[in-house]
Amino acid sequence: MEPRIYATYWIETAFPLAQAAATMAGEQSTGTFVRVPGETDELREAHAARVEELTELGEVAVPSLPGSGLPKSGDATRRAARVVLSWPVSNMGLSLPNLLATVNGNLSELKAFSGLRLLDLKLPPEFLTRYQGPQFGVEGTRKLADVYGRPIIGTIIKPSVGLGPEATAEQVRGLVEAGIDFIKDDELQADGPHCPFNERVSAVMRVINEHAQRTGKKVMYAANLTGEIDEMLARHDHVLAEGGTCVMASMNSIGLPAMKVLRAHSQLPIHGHRNGWGMLGRSPAIGMSYIAFQKLWRLAGIDHTHVNGIDNKFCETNESVIASARECLTPMFDAPNKGCEIMPVFSSGQSARQAAPTYAALGSVDCMFAAGGGIMAHPGGPAAGVRALRQAWDAAVAGVPAEQAAKDAPELAAALGAFGG
Amino acid sequence: MEPRIYATYWIETAFPLAQAAATMAGEQSTGTFVRVPGETDELREAHAARVEELTELGEVAVPSLPGSGLPKSGDATRRAARVVLSWPVSNMGLSLPNLLATVNGNLSELKAFSGLRLLDLKLPPEFLTRYQGPQFGVEGTRKLADVYGRPIIGTIIKPSVGLGPEATAEQVRGLVEAGIDFIKDDELQADGPHCPFNERVSAVMRVINEHAQRTGKKVMYAANLTGEIDEMLARHDHVLAEGGTCVMASMNSIGLPAMKVLRAHSQLPIHGHRNGWGMLGRSPAIGMSYIAFQKLWRLAGIDHTHVNGIDNKFCETNESVIASARECLTPMFDAPNKGCEIMPVFSSGQSARQAAPTYAALGSVDCMFAAGGGIMAHPGGPAAGVRALRQAWDAAVAGVPAEQAAKDAPELAAALGAFGG
């Protein structure tokens, strides 16, 4: 049996559901708007996409998106449904760029639909013969950061824009002295003329390496190397030469083929920043779920990715945040050690308040937990901010309510006081 | 004066508009949710994004997207507005990937907004020192296709999936004999095992080259080389070696850095296929207009791009189609011969019917006009289908209504009869 690719969609249409699903399958495989010479039944059978499942989800009063058409029958009852389509791998080959053109392609523009969103993907393990997947993943990242049995506590360098290399390194000095495990550049800061990448990395790594020599703790710094391909490879080499242990790239800025090249070259974990995902992810009626999105990038080779956070400052629901995070830890393939699990990164308005609900929902400490103001604005200063986060997670894992744990943990008590209720 | 980048957005918010615009500017430049040490007023002044324009567009009854917040004031009047933000180039440097993280980034996820869409971009000409722009554009494409004073008439190989190399070449034979100017692969067909790229290109170019030797007319064939970067460069070289005159890549599948590499390597025009754009473009409340999108890709180096077509089979309005097409022909920069103009490609359910309204709206014959069924399903066969399209465009340019021109043009008459009214 030839391996197949499965894609799950949410759709909304006024057409009969079976007809609508068949339109999707036709558009993305053998179809055109009239049957053309050479298009035999055998050919259709071998290559046509199949409708594997079709589940009606109920009627919809108002179309979610403009521009959709109505069936000629005159019955304009609009329905939502869940559709699973499948394709033989040989339609597009083991190629993520061509997979995208197949599972996405023109589907979102079809007139039959007033909503169409890619919810999930299931790929056959044959893709592992062409893509390397994460090089470090959860275990490799823990080893490099030397953090076990609890989340890797992280933060971001702020302000996003404006600090020069030395000022950035000074901020990093405060953070490493505060006991942080992980520091990342902001996605806005890669190689601007006021803070060139190489100089920033050299200055920051000087601080991190000095601290490591003194204390034995080497803080992981995700240096934002987002740029053109030759730039990214050269920047990676500079990070490696300076003793760095992580690089960061904005996925939507670079695209899958550039990530594949970076992964093949890299000797460091790749922190996949998802900025820009809101364009694809925010509307419930169009685009792509993060569950589908992160699978593409895991296969291409990222080791960590952002999932937003519980009660974040953005618009994403907690349910969606946790679904993404769990997915990062769920194997994509059955083969042992080939599941491509990666570190979910919680961030955005996070503080000690969110440790317990995050642990309760995720059921694991295998994550990065990043706070900006939640550390820097702690009343006792950044070191107290980091301690408060660790205390909050220890309490969560022990099943002790944060308020109760705070009685013996003054930094946690101060954090709970400072960061809302 | 330092050059600046300008981005225009449509927004929808229940917050006071000036406050909402300031939130956007802060999030994408110097902001975080609390002011941190090191963030001086001077630094904010030098690097903060500016709100350049803010135009209220009226009240909105229902939020377009879920997840937005309300101001604490209790006044929940929701408004739409048009906002122009600007950044100094030195915030991100002359880098398209980092530009994306700035003008898009996390903006779409901000809780203050129930809708946020990037409508347009204005980039300073300094970007031309880092990006090559189109190599062939309108004039270079016309020269290679040897078509002047009228649109380049094109078609697509269908079925999209299932034909092997020889069957594809046989279909191309029929099309070149029909007098077509331009043929493109389907975006679903790149290098699948049933129709490997190299074999397909060799077989197709044998037919095109034979025809060119016999008739002097070399049909342009946009071979879909979408894939990983090394694959794309090798495929380009194969097309060049076989005497081909165009390559095609799916923009959303490969990303801007891969396109930059392809452009630097390419000796052929790059046909930028926009499949997948519906995810970004279809909702009026999120994502990116094609006007903004195509500017990024023109700078990266595409020579042609799809704009859909008048009365297309997809959901895009004619107004939006024409706005995109006009934009492709509008200089991005003032410098002579540096405008980066490219060929807009009309397609999707196109036939002789759409020539007159397309010409009327575009005001130019500088375009590719692609029809699939509109050629293949012509009652007189593909050659009559091509002739009908040329007759329709000749009539449009002469200002003669199609129905009147059809009296002396039997192929056009048949097309108007066959393709609806």
Side-chain angles (χ1 to χ4, degrees), chain A residues 35-365:
Chain A
R35 184 173 277 231
V36 296
E39 193 168 6
T40 62
D41 289 343
E42 291 73 20
L43 190 154
R44 285 208 170 205
E45 176 62 24
H47 294 283
R50 281 187 210 147
V51 179
E52 300 280 352
E53 287 179 39
L54 178 55
T55 310
E56 183 172 340
L57 300 173
E59 293 188 9
V60 175
V62 179
S64 295
L65 297 174
S68 64
L70 294 174
K72 286 179 183 162
S73 68
D75 177 8
T77 309
R78 196 172 293 274
R79 293 177 184 84
R82 196 171 169 279
V83 181
V84 181
L85 301 185
S86 77
W87 295 260
V89 164
S90 64
N91 271 32
M92 77 297 286
L94 296 166
S95 165
L96 288 180
N98 291 301
L99 172 77
L100 267 187
T102 298
V103 301
N104 176 7
N106 291 329
L107 274 182
S108 316
E109 295 193 61
L110 291 179
K111 213 170 210 155
F113 301 91
S114 54
L116 190 149
R117 182 171 167 87
L118 180 63
L119 298 180
D120 202 356
L121 283 172
K122 187 168 160 49
L123 306 180
E126 283 78 2
F127 272 90
L128 289 170
T129 64
R130 290 287 291 281
Y131 294 91
Q132 297 176 281
Q135 184 175 189
F136 292 84
V138 175
E139 287 314 305
T141 298
R142 284 201 178 283
K143 199 169 167 189
L144 277 176
D146 195 22
V147 173
Y148 298 94
R150 61 171 179 83
I152 292 174
I153 303 294
T155 193
I156 186 171
I157 295 165
K158 290 271 184 183
S160 318
V161 175
L163 296 179
E166 290 304 329
T168 303
E170 275 315 298
Q171 192 171 97
V172 166
R173 186 183 307 278
L175 292 165
V176 299
E177 286 171 0
I180 201 87
D181 303 315
F182 174 84
I183 301 172
K184 65 177 275 292
D185 279 333
D186 192 273
E187 72 274 13
L188 298 176
Q189 187 63 272
D191 188 46
H194 291 298
C195 195
F197 182 87
N198 285 355
E199 293 174 40
R200 181 172 75 254
V201 167
S202 295
V204 166
M205 287 312 302
R206 207 149 45 228
V207 170
I208 287 176
N209 288 331
E210 281 167 14
H211 183 260
Q213 281 188 326
R214 205 166 59 243
T215 65
K217 181 177 179 70
K218 185 154 197 176
V219 173
M220 181 176 274
Y221 166 49
N224 179 15
L225 52 63
T226 303
E228 304 302 339
I229 292 165
D230 51 350
E231 294 170 338
M232 291 196 287
L233 301 189
R235 289 173 194 162
H236 163 276
D237 294 350
H238 183 69
V239 173
L240 191 67
E242 294 286 16
T245 54
C246 190
V247 294
M248 163 176 145
S250 292
M251 299 180 281
N252 290 300
S253 294
I254 72 167
L256 288 162
M259 184 61 84
K260 185 178 196 293
V261 170
L262 177 60
R263 165 63 180 90
H265 180 84
S266 186
Q267 298 181 48
L268 299 169
I270 300 170
H271 191 82
H273 200 291
R274 76 171 191 176
N275 71 84
W277 180 71
M279 283 201 176
L280 293 172
R282 181 160 178 194
S283 166
I286 193 86
M288 200 188 292
S289 77
Y290 204 65
I291 287 175
F293 182 88
Q294 52 89 42
K295 286 187 180 174
L296 300 168
W297 293 91
R298 282 162 66 183
L299 198 49
I302 62 168
D303 296 284
H304 322 143
T305 197
H306 288 234
V307 296
N308 221 329
I310 298 268
D311 300 336
N312 58 79
K313 67 174 176 172
F314 295 119
C315 57
E316 190 172 359
T317 63
N318 291 343
E319 185 187 10
S320 170
V321 168
I322 293 300
S324 300
R326 281 174 180 264
E327 194 65 35
C328 291
L329 296 174
T330 303
M332 282 178 65
F333 306 105
D334 289 338
N337 300 318
K338 289 290 190 181
C340 298
E341 297 91 332
I342 61 168
M343 276 280 189
V345 184
F346 292 91
S347 66
S348 171
Q350 299 297 288
S351 74
R353 287 244 162 235
Q354 284 99 331
T358 303
Y359 179 69
L362 186 64
S364 172
V365 293

Side-chain angles (χ1 to χ4, degrees), chain A residues 2 26-34 36-39 43 47 65-68 89-98 100-118 130-131 158-163 171 186-194 224 226-232 235 250 252-258 260-261 273-280 282-284 286-288 308 311-316 348-350 372-374 376-377 419, chain B residues 2 26-34 36-39 43 47 65-68 89-98 100-118 130-131 158-163 171 186-194 224 226-232 235 250 252-258 260-261 273-280 282-284 286-288 308 311-316 348-350 372-374 376-377 419:
Chain A
E2 190 182 341
E27 175 72 21
Q28 292 311 99
S29 58
T30 56
T32 176
F33 70 99
V34 289
V36 296
E39 193 168 6
L43 190 154
H47 294 283
L65 297 174
S68 64
V89 164
S90 64
N91 271 32
M92 77 297 286
L94 296 166
S95 165
L96 288 180
N98 291 301
L100 267 187
T102 298
V103 301
N104 176 7
N106 291 329
L107 274 182
S108 316
E109 295 193 61
L110 291 179
K111 213 170 210 155
F113 301 91
S114 54
L116 190 149
R117 182 171 167 87
L118 180 63
R130 290 287 291 281
Y131 294 91
K158 290 271 184 183
S160 318
V161 175
L163 296 179
Q171 192 171 97
D186 192 273
E187 72 274 13
L188 298 176
Q189 187 63 272
D191 188 46
H194 291 298
N224 179 15
T226 303
E228 304 302 339
I229 292 165
D230 51 350
E231 294 170 338
M232 291 196 287
R235 289 173 194 162
S250 292
N252 290 300
S253 294
I254 72 167
L256 288 162
K260 185 178 196 293
V261 170
H273 200 291
R274 76 171 191 176
N275 71 84
W277 180 71
M279 283 201 176
L280 293 172
R282 181 160 178 194
S283 166
I286 193 86
M288 200 188 292
N308 221 329
D311 300 336
N312 58 79
K313 67 174 176 172
F314 295 119
C315 57
E316 190 172 359
S348 171
Q350 299 297 288
M376 295 304 287
F419 301 119
Chain B
E2 189 183 341
E27 175 72 21
Q28 291 313 98
S29 58
T30 55
T32 175
F33 70 100
V34 290
V36 296
E39 192 169 5
L43 190 155
H47 294 283
L65 296 174
S68 65
V89 164
S90 65
N91 272 31
M92 76 297 286
L94 297 166
S95 165
L96 289 180
N98 291 300
L100 267 186
T102 297
V103 301
N104 177 6
N106 291 329
L107 274 181
S108 316
E109 297 192 61
L110 290 179
K111 213 170 209 154
F113 301 92
S114 54
L116 190 150
R117 181 172 166 87
L118 179 63
R130 290 288 292 282
Y131 294 91
K158 288 271 184 183
S160 319
V161 175
L163 296 179
Q171 193 170 96
D186 191 273
E187 72 273 14
L188 298 177
Q189 188 62 271
D191 188 46
H194 291 298
N224 179 15
T226 303
E228 304 302 338
I229 292 166
D230 53 349
E231 294 170 339
M232 291 195 288
R235 289 173 194 162
S250 292
N252 289 299
S253 294
I254 72 168
L256 287 161
K260 185 177 196 295
V261 169
H273 200 290
R274 77 171 191 177
N275 72 84
W277 181 70
M279 283 202 176
L280 293 171
R282 180 160 178 195
S283 167
I286 193 87
M288 199 187 291
N308 222 330
D311 300 336
N312 58 79
K313 68 174 176 171
F314 295 119
C315 56
E316 190 173 358
S348 173
Q350 299 298 287
M376 295 304 287
F419 300 118

Side-chain angles (χ1 to χ4, degrees), chain B residues 114-138:
Chain B
S114 54
L116 190 150
R117 181 172 166 87
L118 179 63
L119 298 179
D120 203 356
L121 283 172
K122 188 168 160 50
L123 306 180
E126 283 77 3
F127 272 90
L128 289 169
T129 63
R130 290 288 292 282
Y131 294 91
Q132 297 175 280
Q135 185 175 188
F136 292 85
V138 174

